[in-house]
Amino acid sequence: MDRKEYISVVLPLRLGWLPCYSTEEPLARGERVKVRFAGREYVGVVWEVGVRPETDPSKVQPVMSREPLPPVTECELKLWEFVSSYYLCSIGEVYKAAYPVLRIEEEETARRMRERVEAKAEAAAQRREEKIRKLESRLEAKKVLIEKARTARTRDAYQEAAGEIERQLAELLKPESKPAESSQPVREVSLSPAQQIAKNEIDKCLQTRRVVLLNGITGSGKTEIYLAMAKEQLARGKNVLYLVPEIALSRQLEDRLRAYFGQSLLTFHSAETSAHRREVAAALSERPYVVLGTRSAIFLPHGNLGLVIVDEEHDGSYKQDSPAPRYQGRDTAVVLASIHGAKVVLGSATPSMESLYNCHTGLFAKVDLKERFYAGGEADVEIIDTIAERRKRGMSGSLSLKLIAHMRKALDGGGQVVLLRGRRAYSPIVQCDSCGDIPHCPHCNVALSYHKPSGRLVCHYCGFSAPFSGKCGKCGGNLLPVGAGTQRIEEEVATLFPDVGVARLDGDTSPAQVQSVIRSFAAGETRILVGTQMVSKGFDFEGLNLVAVIAADTLVGQQNFRADERAVQLLEQFRGRCGRRGKKGLFVIQTARPTHPVYAFLRGEETDGDAILEERREFGYPPFTRIVKLILRDTSEERLDKLAARLSSRLCSDFGISPTLIANPSAAVSLTGPYKPSPDRIAGKFIRHIRFVIKRDKNLMRNKQQILTSINAFEKETAWTGHVSIDVDPL
Ligand code: ADP
Ligand code: ZN
């Protein structure tokens, strides 16, 4: 009798199907098994049991072994299924993201290491036992000697020796010092009246809705509200997931949360090792928890989840660009919560259009908090027209004389200044003064940036660099820096204010330096900080009363329908950095286009995102539609163009449409492309995009699946596999 059962298994691969294996011992969905696939061994997850093999059952390979690892929970599997079908990727790719170490060799190494550690601990315990036994028998012997001692002097000597042995014994028998179970009393939250009102409102809304958007201005103390809500969950025996967009921010927040949650706080972010992941995963089942993490913490084996908090929900770093699954952490967190029957609080000073739209449709509730915790600190906005200033000779290098005067005043008053410039490096490009040539990266279609400290020309896309000689490779003329990045601004500022400490914070600052730069600015040792977008988020510096953006145009001028939304969010965040302790602040924006609508927002002439939302509706952009972007890459431009055209026409015929130059807002599906993105070559690969705009109607899911089906068929036909990536809801 054949007692074999057949199961389908998820492998950590980009496979459009789930391979089948046979097993003699019964296995359950979610269990982990070791299997062989295409000549390699993998740890897979049992997806379905009792399947009927599609091929000859005698050819189905058996499972090699069942792995002694905790099974994947049903909630996790449900989430994987959602991510895979929504973001058009394989379940294996989600598995790989959720359990980063899956290759059998690595699992094996991890297990060997664990065993070695355990063996060591066991040996140490044995040695300890032996020592104790020896000491005890020596003590016995001494006691006998004490009994038999004839003089007081010998008795005292034996007594002393016995005492020493007892001390050693006591030392060995002391219970092993466990990491302190935090005897410190954990701090209580006390909300301001405005915060309490907002929290009551949130609680009320959550009785009828799953998701609340907390739209609270910067400095209103949203964090304090999250803390109060998280505490209540723990008190009810429920767990909390607290998501933040970036690691740098989570580190700062960690200290703050530790005081409130002590041992119940666990932290997790994507750069974490797999050993740490295992530890956190194990801790989740041991005690009530608040997990503070970045988007990948969504994939931990959560249980008994009561609340998910997504702070700075508008932040672009919630979206994973690469590799697949290209998921949006905020949206996936909402799905995670619904799988667990948990509630969600999304928080932001400048909510995403997606969330505002969901509030308009009634899916989410919105709660406003319009009062700063430290009243009176709101920064005034001053916009400086750099073209007009230049004409009036009102510019000195990158800075206007007006801004320099504001800086001087702030510094004289004992304050601090942060300047934001959207480009790192000394100059974004260099150009020959005689032939006009601009050196480009040999691997990317991108101009090289000049980095003064290292004396090199650097590609910001692939990392290529070459020494900068100052001489043009084409004609021997002089290569001159064009434009100013953060390094050059830092240099200009240091010349203007020679007596004040100036520091820089950008992508060239190492993680270790980041901490020290922040610390010395917080301590007032440096008083001017120059940086990229990094300086716009999360920081809380007491003495900061002037923030300024240099060349704001690079932030608002991007050719992307989300550019204005993002510019407003960035600028509003940045403005919120100053005047946080109730001291009046000033926000200066230097721009060549002072009439741009983004600035009207900041001046408060437009109070919410409704105007942007209206524009999105008119042009048929998300959130009114969905976008699916296909990214095609190849080392041969000729082959890429040929196959991109072929894929585009295949997709058009599968959907029965013709390609358009711009998306048609009323069509169910429109396709544009293939077109060249900018840059159109990175790290030796040419790139083309194809873009779908799909109506949000009942056919949305089916249309998205059709894209995947067509691509799979196309890949089979052309054997051009691995060249097409799918990005759903791209940024
Ligand atoms: P947001 O996240 O809304 O920008 P924060 O939560 O960072 O604001 O709060 C701004 C500042 O106000 C912080 O320094 C914070 O410590 C302080 N703060 C806010 N609410 C309270 C409160 N209830 N009790 C004590 N300090 C608070
Ligand atoms: Zn490059």
Side-chain angles (χ1 to χ4, degrees):
M1 196 186 95
D2 187 11
R3 304 217 329 288
K4 269 188 204 158
E5 246 210 295
Y6 296 92
I7 58 170
S8 62
V9 174
V10 181
L11 300 179
L13 299 169
R14 183 189 167 170
L15 272 185
W17 50 288
L18 297 172
C20 179
Y21 291 88
S22 68
T23 175
E24 301 204 341
E25 70 174 317
L27 287 166
R29 175 165 149 96
E31 278 195 280
R32 309 240 245 143
V33 289
K34 193 193 282 183
V35 295
R36 205 185 300 279
F37 182 83
R40 296 189 74 149
E41 289 174 14
Y42 295 94
V43 173
V45 177
V46 178
W47 186 255
E48 206 184 343
V49 293
V51 301
R52 194 183 304 222
E54 283 174 14
T55 53
D56 177 0
S58 65
K59 295 216 177 92
V60 173
Q61 287 192 57
V63 164
M64 296 170 67
S65 62
R66 167 203 237 142
E67 287 297 280
L69 297 165
V72 179
T73 64
E74 191 56 38
C75 286
E76 290 176 87
L77 295 174
K78 274 195 188 134
L79 186 68
W80 297 3
E81 194 157 23
F82 161 79
V83 171
S84 143
S85 72
Y86 188 91
Y87 294 102
L88 305 179
C89 62
S90 74
I91 290 186
E93 285 170 311
V94 190
Y95 171 34
K96 201 166 154 180
Y99 287 75
V101 172
L102 295 156
R103 290 254 308 287
I104 205 88
E105 304 90 74
E106 294 170 57
E107 283 286 356
E108 215 87 283
T109 319
R111 180 160 47 225
R112 267 201 300 278
M113 266 172 62
R114 213 165 41 237
E115 279 168 6
R116 209 176 305 147
V117 169
E118 280 164 12
K120 253 192 191 159
E122 202 171 307
Q126 258 174 26
R127 277 199 301 277
R128 181 166 158 269
E129 287 297 320
E130 253 164 57
K131 243 186 181 160
I132 291 171
R133 235 181 300 124
K134 270 192 198 142
L135 285 172
E136 278 172 347
S137 63
R138 270 174 61 199
L139 188 60
E140 279 307 308
K142 286 280 182 287
K143 278 182 181 158
V144 175
L145 287 173
I146 293 168
E147 290 281 305
K148 289 185 185 158
R150 284 191 214 129
T151 67
R153 249 183 69 198
T154 48
R155 188 177 311 121
D156 283 355
Y158 289 137
Q159 206 108 48
E160 197 175 311
E164 175 55 30
I165 294 170
E166 272 173 338
R167 250 194 309 282
Q168 285 180 21
L169 258 175
E171 186 65 33
L172 278 171
L173 291 171
K174 219 166 51 187
E176 285 197 23
S177 55
K178 288 237 168 79
E181 270 292 312
S182 181
S183 51
Q184 276 177 0
V186 281
R187 256 171 74 185
E188 290 307 318
V189 186
S190 99
L191 298 180
S192 71
Q195 290 168 345
Q196 190 60 54
I197 290 169
K199 181 176 171 296
N200 294 347
E201 181 107 355
I202 294 172
D203 289 339
K204 208 178 92 204
C205 292
L206 286 178
Q207 284 169 12
T208 54
R209 292 220 188 60
R210 184 171 300 291
V211 186
V212 169
L213 170 66
L214 172 58
N215 186 184
I217 60 171
T218 52
S220 58
K222 294 183 286 296
T223 316
E224 231 69 24
I225 296 179
Y226 306 146
L227 294 178
M229 300 197 64
K231 283 223 154 196
E232 285 177 4
Q233 291 294 325
L234 290 185
R236 262 183 238 147
K238 291 281 194 174
N239 297 322
V240 179
L241 172 62
Y242 188 144
L243 294 176
V244 287
E246 271 153 320
I247 301 168
L249 295 184
S250 78
R251 288 266 152 78
Q252 268 204 326
L253 197 56
E254 192 178 332
D255 297 340
R256 198 165 154 194
L257 296 201
R258 186 71 62 197
Y260 291 90
F261 299 110
Q263 293 291 310
S264 296
L265 182 71
L266 303 167
T267 57
F268 186 81
H269 53 73
S270 40
E272 227 65 273
T273 62
S274 58
H276 181 75
R277 188 197 187 279
R278 248 190 291 262
E279 259 168 49
V280 173
L284 295 187
S285 58
E286 279 167 14
R287 51 174 172 247
Y289 65 81
V290 174
V291 175
L292 173 65
T294 51
R295 61 171 188 265
S296 56
I298 291 170
F299 293 113
L300 287 168
H302 294 285
N304 201 20
L305 208 53
L307 178 69
V308 178
I309 296 160
V310 183
D311 191 20
E312 309 293 0
E313 63 88 27
H314 63 275
D315 199 293
S317 61
Y318 278 120
K319 177 75 160 72
Q320 168 144 325
D321 330 300
S322 193
R326 296 180 175 77
Y327 65 103
Q328 161 58 265
R330 172 197 61 228
D331 301 345
T332 309
V334 170
V335 174
L336 173 78
S338 82
I339 289 172
H340 286 263
K343 301 293 184 181
V344 184
V345 176
L346 306 176
S348 175
T350 50
S352 63
M353 290 303 125
E354 280 72 12
S355 295
L356 285 179
Y357 173 85
N358 285 330
C359 292
H360 277 287
T361 64
L363 189 63
F364 297 177
K366 182 158 160 275
V367 173
D368 293 322
L369 182 55
K370 295 251 147 87
E371 193 177 287
R372 287 192 147 211
F373 181 75
Y374 294 106
E378 187 72 357
D380 287 333
V381 179
E382 180 173 330
I383 291 169
I384 296 176
D385 178 345
T386 49
I387 295 190
E389 291 304 318
R390 186 146 285 139
R391 223 175 281 133
K392 291 190 292 191
R393 301 186 179 280
M395 295 294 286
S396 158
S398 316
L399 309 183
S400 61
L401 299 180
K402 284 179 180 165
L403 173 56
I404 295 170
H406 284 307
M407 290 172 72
R408 186 146 284 136
K409 193 165 154 228
L411 294 167
D412 286 347
Q416 286 177 297
V417 180
V418 173
L419 303 181
L420 190 160
R421 166 69 174 121
R423 298 260 163 81
R424 63 191 172 98
Y426 187 80
S427 65
I429 57 178
V430 293
Q431 186 168 28
C432 174
D433 69 353
S434 70
C435 75
D437 185 58
I438 295 172
H440 273 60
C441 175
H443 313 290
C444 309
N445 191 5
V446 170
L448 293 169
S449 300
Y450 170 43
H451 285 240
K452 199 168 181 179
S454 62
R456 299 181 80 83
L457 293 177
V458 179
C459 171
H460 286 183
Y461 283 81
C462 75
F464 167 86
S465 79
F468 177 64
S469 64
K471 289 281 168 251
C472 175
K474 297 265 160 68
C475 76
N478 294 315
L479 284 177
L480 302 178
V482 178
T486 45
Q487 291 173 2
R488 190 165 181 172
I489 308 252
E490 181 191 15
E491 189 180 276
E492 288 181 20
V493 169
T495 316
L496 285 166
F497 301 95
D499 305 326
V500 174
V502 182
R504 177 168 51 85
L505 196 62
D506 60 27
D508 295 313
T509 320
S510 74
Q513 283 173 319
V514 169
Q515 296 304 325
S516 79
V517 167
I518 292 172
R519 219 168 286 139
S520 62
F521 193 72
E525 289 154 21
T526 44
R527 296 180 56 207
I528 304 176
L529 183 62
V530 179
T532 51
Q533 280 83 332
M534 277 172 85
V535 299
S536 69
K537 296 178 199 170
F539 299 124
D540 193 355
F541 299 120
E542 218 176 317
L544 183 58
N545 51 7
L546 172 62
V547 295
V549 186
I550 315 299
D553 311 275
T554 54
L555 306 173
V556 301
Q558 296 155 17
Q559 284 291 310
N560 179 320
F561 71 93
R562 287 190 203 273
D564 289 357
E565 176 190 349
R566 253 190 273 162
V568 170
Q569 288 162 347
L570 171 70
L571 294 173
E572 196 58 57
Q573 281 285 320
F574 186 42
R575 173 203 217 163
R577 292 314 104 211
C578 87
R580 285 177 77 82
R581 295 296 148 89
K583 278 178 257 160
K584 197 78 195 155
L586 178 64
F587 180 24
V588 174
I589 298 173
Q590 288 198 164
T591 171
R593 293 161 68 200
T595 55
H596 196 285
V598 159
Y599 307 127
F601 267 82
L602 294 174
R603 286 202 218 92
E605 288 156 26
E606 306 256 11
T607 45
D608 59 46
D610 285 355
I612 296 184
L613 209 52
E614 198 37 57
E615 202 180 272
R616 295 273 189 91
R617 182 204 305 279
E618 199 176 312
F619 292 102
Y621 283 133
F624 296 93
T625 55
R626 291 288 187 213
I627 290 183
V628 176
K629 187 166 84 181
L630 309 183
I631 304 145
L632 292 73
R633 294 188 186 86
D634 201 323
T635 48
S636 151
E637 188 165 28
E638 202 191 331
R639 188 167 54 222
L640 178 64
D641 278 328
K642 209 176 78 204
L643 285 152
R646 208 167 135 186
L647 176 59
S648 160
S649 69
R650 184 196 171 109
L651 288 163
C652 283
S653 82
D654 288 353
F655 279 101
I657 56 173
S658 359
T660 48
L661 270 178
I662 43 166
N664 173 2
S666 58
V669 179
S670 31
L671 179 151
T672 54
Y675 57 89
K676 288 187 182 185
S678 168
D680 62 355
R681 183 173 175 241
I682 295 175
K685 285 193 173 166
F686 294 89
I687 310 166
R688 297 293 180 269
H689 288 175
I690 292 175
R691 211 162 85 126
F692 282 97
V693 178
I694 310 173
K695 239 195 183 149
R696 284 180 73 163
D697 59 17
K698 61 179 190 328
N699 295 323
L700 172 67
M701 245 354 233
R702 214 187 58 210
N703 285 328
K704 278 167 66 182
Q705 286 302 323
Q706 178 59 52
I707 296 174
L708 188 60
T709 311
S710 296
I711 291 171
N712 286 341
F714 171 80
E715 288 197 335
K716 231 179 207 159
E717 254 169 52
T718 56
W720 194 59
T721 45
H723 295 270
V724 183
S725 316
I726 308 177
D727 192 357
V728 176
D729 299 348
L731 286 187

